[in-house]
Amino acid sequence: MRWTMPPDRVPEAWFNVVPRLAQPIEPALHPGTRQPAGPQDLAPLFPMALILQEVSTDPWIDIPGPVLDILRLWRPTPLIRARRLEQALDTPARIYYKDESVSPAGSHKPNTAVPQAYYNREEGIKRIATETGAGQWGSALAFSCALFGLKCKVYMVRASYQQKPYRRLMMETWGGEVVASPVDQPDSPGSLGMAISDAVRDAGSREDTHYSLGSVLNHVLLHQTVIGLEAKEQLQLAGEEKPDLVIGCCGGGSNLGGLALPFVPDEGVELLAVEPTSCATLTTGKFEYDFGDTAGLTPLLSMYTLGHDFVPPSIHAGGLRYHGDAPIISNLVHTGRMRASAYNQTAVFEAAIQWARTQGTIPAPETAHAIKATIDAALQAREEGKEKVILFGYSGHGLLDLQAYDDFLTGKLAGS
Amino acid sequence: MRWTMPPDRVPEAWFNVVPRLAQPIEPALHPGTRQPAGPQDLAPLFPMALILQEVSTDPWIDIPGPVLDILRLWRPTPLIRARRLEQALDTPARIYYKDESVSPAGSHKPNTAVPQAYYNREEGIKRIATETGAGQWGSALAFSCALFGLKCKVYMVRASYQQKPYRRLMMETWGGEVVASPVDQPDSPGSLGMAISDAVRDAGSREDTHYSLGSVLNHVLLHQTVIGLEAKEQLQLAGEEKPDLVIGCCGGGSNLGGLALPFVPDEGVELLAVEPTSCATLTTGKFEYDFGDTAGLTPLLSMYTLGHDFVPPSIHAGGLRYHGDAPIISNLVHTGRMRASAYNQTAVFEAAIQWARTQGTIPAPETAHAIKATIDAALQAREEGKEKVILFGYSGHGLLDLQAYDDFLTGKLAGS
């Protein structure tokens, strides 16, 4: 069963969780002085509108009309009840998922790529540089730049550049320019931290160019809150007062934050972050200030981190391979408002196959982490005989990740 | 702008155009006797429910509840107004498209794969054999068999099997078994006609197995009419009395038929089939009885055909490479109710890129034929200063066809 809404029900303001946090969020620090970074420190990289959103304590921030016009190409996204999975699990839980895979780029990422491209164009910027790991973020930004007439340069982690030609072709179809990163070490497989350094260097060296980040920062999570705001309204349409449990996979935190943040003030709604055991930032990392990139060019953020020089093992859920986590997500976990759990790759793909053969769609490996946690929660509800309402984020489709499924089905997948 | 409808508005009956045709449709002939084929002739291949639908003259046929339950996983599909394309073309035309790419398999094909799997299971069949060219049909049937607990064997044209590993992996993710065809000529690149022969032989040789066809036949086009029925209702929601022009790409005819057939009785609605110049069945073929496959195992159908031994050149729109056409579509073209036009591959990909960079989504190469014809019609409306309402079928996404885009962008595409 699907709950759809007409396009005029796309939220017209973003939900800012910052003024609603139990403990205030620590400010970002300048990488040189280690003093709180001011707007002028960030101005070479970001348009002022985004810098102001990054530090805003307004409870709601209006979404500009030209951004809404583009979001309405695919929003509101459907909320779907996974009845066939419920039946297969014989659970009294009611399982709903918010389907962000229907966007042109195939994930939630365009929710922030569109406003970022818009604000940059409004400030006269002609070109945006960014990094991409698995390719989801680069695809979303290339798509958004095409629609606003901006040039887009994507530094793609070399391992992905070589293993995922389809993601690169997708960006090029939208007119993006894609190069393998690190650009100065052609033998290195690269990492997200290294690619961020490449993109920041590019943006810092050109007047016409800004930098754009697809996760972690406050303004990115802010833009993603359309997901949770829509889901809240759609759950009402489905006859549910509230979810008991909200689940999202977590790499940098933008997918999880987008779905979960609007539920932060709601009593009795449990929030769960799911990460891979091979890059278990929230469950095994330290809560401290760290750089966002490998080279130490970015401001220092207060977050859970495995260390900015941590290189996670190569897993198929490339979007979850990040050494840090969004300060907002880290704050929620640190203060106990959100729980976190980790799963290994084999368990995650078993869940993905079960999903594909019951619900019919093929999820991204990242999304499959949330599916695995959902299945576990639904089975626990069966044990306890409880009618639990579970909402999880279906962050993206796995159509460009089919090689990962082949590796799993033919026994070539590493377990961790 | 998108027009969505709640899941309870999925049509509950299929629209049968056969009793509404200006001239009756000629019966299929037995390949041996060349006499009209009776139900018992088809029983080794198809369940009786589908055979009866194949020859039915009932104006409406009820959709079974278990089929509706699965169609509702993604239906009703959205009707979307392509405003950004309209603006780019500076046309007074209003362009709408019906988006079938949102299905789990990424095209309109599951609309018939689901009922075909259902009726086979109801008759006690345990296994279905079929062919696939580009892989869209095989994916849809593997998906549908997974949901009904049937085994699925797919004979995939060898050229596609080798060039499109992602499509094969998609079928395997749903549990399908895929082999390259022709099975007895390992050096042949294969063709759709050869793969049909392989699948028909398989089904004919096993008691537990039936055959399934993804296009051409009357019952297949019947199942696809949910597309046009929904679109009609959604156009009303959008404030349009009727479309002036309905456009669909045409290989075997199921996508085009699904969208266009419900408009056949409507005066003032022009219908247009779009095909590739390299396999221009409707625009250059003969209207006569011919076999559906290469080996001459299938019944003879009254249709436009290039000859059952015609091997079309290899183009990226693999779903349009078929020597014949649906008898219903052929009848409509022959009697003048529907027009046909043909475009070459380069013009089609130019249109696809224009679409991707204005509307934001990446269409299947087949779908891009309809987009090209839509752009031409919208430009003609500008010339004539006419407010035309154009509806076209967005039959599938191009996410597993990105190699074709690369070939086009790097100048490696053959022109025809």
Side-chain angles (χ1 to χ4, degrees):
Chain A
M1 204 60 166
R2 295 160 69 241
W3 281 269
T4 53
M5 294 189 299
D8 59 2
R9 299 308 293 269
V10 173
E12 295 184 1
W14 291 300
F15 175 90
N16 189 5
V17 80
V18 170
R20 284 116 166 166
L21 293 173
Q23 283 183 20
I25 204 151
E26 301 289 334
L29 303 183
H30 188 283
T33 64
R34 306 233 165 182
Q35 295 301 309
Q40 67 285 3
D41 295 325
L42 299 169
L45 296 183
F46 300 106
M48 195 49 66
L50 292 178
I51 294 170
L52 294 177
Q53 288 178 5
E54 186 63 22
V55 297
S56 172
T57 54
D58 294 343
W60 295 90
I61 295 174
D62 284 346
I63 307 178
V67 171
L68 281 174
D69 284 346
I70 292 182
L71 294 183
R72 287 193 181 109
L73 290 173
W74 72 95
R75 305 206 69 87
T77 62
L79 178 81
I80 307 179
R81 181 159 171 197
R83 274 191 197 272
R84 294 178 54 90
L85 181 66
E86 292 171 16
Q87 285 159 7
L89 299 175
D90 191 22
T91 177
R94 297 194 289 284
I95 301 172
Y96 296 86
Y97 66 102
K98 180 66 170 163
D99 186 5
E100 292 296 305
S101 76
V102 300
S103 84
S107 77
H108 66 293
K109 293 288 188 188
N111 295 330
T112 184
V114 171
Q116 290 196 44
Y118 167 77
Y119 288 121
N120 275 291
R121 191 196 63 174
E122 288 299 286
E123 256 188 40
I125 288 295
K126 306 293 183 202
R127 182 173 171 277
I128 300 182
T130 197
E131 73 290 332
T132 200
Q136 288 278 16
W137 168 245
S139 306
L141 194 67
F143 153 79
S144 302
C145 285
L147 269 55
F148 282 111
L150 300 173
K151 288 187 184 168
C152 182
K153 174 80 171 263
V154 181
Y155 295 88
M156 186 171 188
V157 174
R158 183 167 281 109
S160 295
Y161 184 90
Q162 291 167 339
Q163 289 162 15
K164 298 197 168 191
Y166 271 36
R167 273 282 162 201
R168 172 175 61 78
L169 296 177
M170 197 177 194
M171 295 183 250
E172 290 173 351
T173 297
W174 280 312
E177 188 194 344
V178 188
V179 292
S181 165
V183 288
D184 55 359
Q185 301 170 52
D187 295 331
S188 165
S191 73
L192 205 52
M194 292 175 187
I196 294 176
S197 299
D198 273 343
V200 168
R201 270 192 212 100
D202 179 316
S205 67
R206 287 180 60 156
E207 278 288 321
D208 66 344
T209 300
H210 267 163
Y211 169 69
S212 181
L213 189 65
S215 191
V216 178
L217 298 179
N218 297 354
H219 69 270
V220 179
L221 272 64
L222 176 80
H223 298 159
Q224 293 291 356
T225 57
V226 291
I227 305 172
L229 292 169
E230 287 177 10
K232 254 189 167 177
E233 187 169 342
Q234 288 165 315
L235 277 173
Q236 301 283 329
L237 290 176
E240 303 290 359
E241 192 195 340
K242 64 169 184 60
D244 297 300
L245 176 59
V246 177
I247 299 175
C249 64
C250 186
S254 79
N255 155 66
L256 170 65
L259 182 67
L261 297 187
F263 293 99
V264 164
D266 299 356
E267 269 183 48
V269 179
E270 198 184 347
L271 310 177
L272 177 63
V274 190
E275 55 186 16
T277 48
S278 57
C279 191
T281 316
L282 295 169
T283 49
T284 69
K286 286 185 188 159
F287 184 73
E288 60 188 19
Y289 270 105
D290 197 6
F291 294 105
D293 69 329
T294 305
L297 301 177
T298 69
L300 291 146
L301 302 172
S302 168
M303 61 183 178
Y304 282 95
T305 175
L306 297 165
H308 65 275
D309 52 357
F310 176 78
V311 179
S314 179
I315 56 165
H316 283 294
L320 307 185
R321 289 176 73 239
Y322 185 59
H323 69 273
D325 253 304
I328 287 175
I329 297 294
S330 298
N331 175 296
L332 290 169
V333 172
H334 193 58
T335 58
R337 178 66 188 88
M338 180 181 277
R339 279 194 305 123
S341 65
Y343 288 103
N344 75 45
Q345 194 165 227
T346 304
V348 163
F349 273 93
E350 279 167 5
I353 292 284
Q354 183 173 15
W355 178 270
R357 295 183 185 175
T358 51
Q359 285 296 131
T361 63
I362 299 176
E366 292 84 357
T367 307
H369 286 73
I371 293 173
K372 171 61 181 161
T374 297
I375 290 173
D376 278 5
L379 291 176
Q380 195 191 333
R382 183 176 74 184
E383 297 256 314
E384 297 168 357
K386 271 193 192 162
E387 274 196 37
K388 205 166 193 170
V389 177
I390 303 171
L391 167 66
F392 81 87
Y394 195 93
S395 52
H397 64 64
L399 298 181
L400 302 186
D401 302 282
L402 285 163
Q403 187 59 52
Y405 282 86
D406 193 41
D407 288 352
F408 173 73
L409 292 170
T410 56
K412 289 181 212 140
L413 201 68
S416 70
Chain B
M1 202 60 166
R2 297 160 68 240
W3 282 270
T4 52
M5 294 190 300
D8 59 3
R9 299 307 293 269
V10 173
E12 295 185 359
W14 291 301
F15 175 90
N16 190 4
V17 79
V18 170
R20 284 113 166 168
L21 294 172
Q23 285 183 19
I25 205 151
E26 300 289 333
L29 303 183
H30 187 281
T33 65
R34 307 231 166 185
Q35 295 301 308
Q40 66 287 1
D41 295 325
L42 299 170
L45 295 183
F46 299 106
M48 195 49 65
L50 292 177
I51 295 170
L52 295 177
Q53 288 177 3
E54 187 63 21
V55 297
S56 171
T57 54
D58 294 343
W60 294 92
I61 295 174
D62 285 346
I63 306 178
V67 171
L68 281 174
D69 284 345
I70 292 182
L71 293 183
R72 286 193 182 112
L73 290 174
W74 72 95
R75 305 206 71 86
T77 62
L79 178 81
I80 307 179
R81 182 160 169 195
R83 276 191 197 269
R84 293 178 55 89
L85 182 66
E86 292 172 16
Q87 285 159 7
L89 299 174
D90 190 23
T91 176
R94 297 193 289 283
I95 302 173
Y96 296 86
Y97 66 101
K98 179 68 171 163
D99 187 4
E100 292 296 306
S101 75
V102 300
S103 83
S107 79
H108 64 294
K109 292 291 187 187
N111 295 330
T112 183
V114 171
Q116 290 196 43
Y118 167 76
Y119 288 121
N120 274 292
R121 192 196 61 174
E122 289 298 287
E123 257 188 39
I125 288 295
K126 306 292 184 204
R127 182 173 171 275
I128 300 182
T130 196
E131 72 290 332
T132 200
Q136 288 278 16
W137 168 243
S139 306
L141 194 67
F143 153 78
S144 303
C145 284
L147 268 56
F148 283 112
L150 299 173
K151 288 186 182 168
C152 182
K153 173 80 172 260
V154 181
Y155 294 88
M156 186 171 190
V157 173
R158 182 168 283 108
S160 296
Y161 184 91
Q162 291 166 341
Q163 289 161 16
K164 299 198 168 192
Y166 271 37
R167 273 283 165 202
R168 172 177 60 77
L169 296 178
M170 197 177 193
M171 295 183 251
E172 291 173 350
T173 297
W174 281 312
E177 187 194 346
V178 188
V179 292
S181 165
V183 288
D184 55 359
Q185 301 170 53
D187 295 330
S188 165
S191 73
L192 205 52
M194 291 175 188
I196 295 176
S197 299
D198 274 341
V200 168
R201 270 192 213 101
D202 179 316
S205 69
R206 287 180 60 157
E207 280 286 321
D208 66 344
T209 300
H210 267 164
Y211 169 70
S212 181
L213 190 66
S215 190
V216 179
L217 299 179
N218 298 353
H219 69 269
V220 178
L221 273 63
L222 175 81
H223 298 159
Q224 293 291 356
T225 57
V226 290
I227 304 172
L229 292 169
E230 287 178 9
K232 257 189 164 176
E233 188 170 340
Q234 288 164 318
L235 277 173
Q236 300 283 329
L237 290 177
E240 303 290 358
E241 192 194 343
K242 65 168 184 61
D244 297 299
L245 175 59
V246 176
I247 299 175
C249 65
C250 186
S254 78
N255 154 66
L256 170 65
L259 182 66
L261 297 186
F263 294 99
V264 164
D266 299 355
E267 269 183 47
V269 180
E270 200 183 346
L271 310 177
L272 177 64
V274 191
E275 54 186 17
T277 48
S278 57
C279 190
T281 317
L282 295 169
T283 50
T284 70
K286 288 184 188 161
F287 184 72
E288 61 188 20
Y289 270 106
D290 196 5
F291 295 104
D293 70 328
T294 306
L297 301 177
T298 70
L300 290 147
L301 302 172
S302 168
M303 62 183 178
Y304 282 95
T305 175
L306 297 163
H308 64 275
D309 52 357
F310 175 79
V311 179
S314 179
I315 56 166
H316 284 294
L320 308 183
R321 290 176 74 239
Y322 186 60
H323 69 274
D325 253 305
I328 287 174
I329 298 293
S330 298
N331 175 297
L332 290 168
V333 172
H334 193 58
T335 58
R337 178 65 188 89
M338 179 181 278
R339 281 193 306 122
S341 65
Y343 289 102
N344 75 45
Q345 195 164 227
T346 303
V348 163
F349 273 93
E350 281 167 4
I353 291 285
Q354 183 172 15
W355 178 270
R357 294 183 186 175
T358 52
Q359 285 297 132
T361 62
I362 300 176
E366 293 84 356
T367 306
H369 285 73
I371 293 173
K372 171 61 181 161
T374 296
I375 290 173
D376 279 6
L379 292 176
Q380 195 191 333
R382 183 176 73 183
E383 297 257 314
E384 296 168 358
K386 271 191 192 163
E387 275 197 32
K388 207 166 191 170
V389 177
I390 303 172
L391 167 66
F392 81 87
Y394 195 94
S395 52
H397 64 64
L399 299 181
L400 302 187
D401 302 283
L402 285 163
Q403 187 57 53
Y405 282 86
D406 193 41
D407 288 352
F408 173 73
L409 290 170
T410 57
K412 290 183 211 137
L413 199 69
S416 69

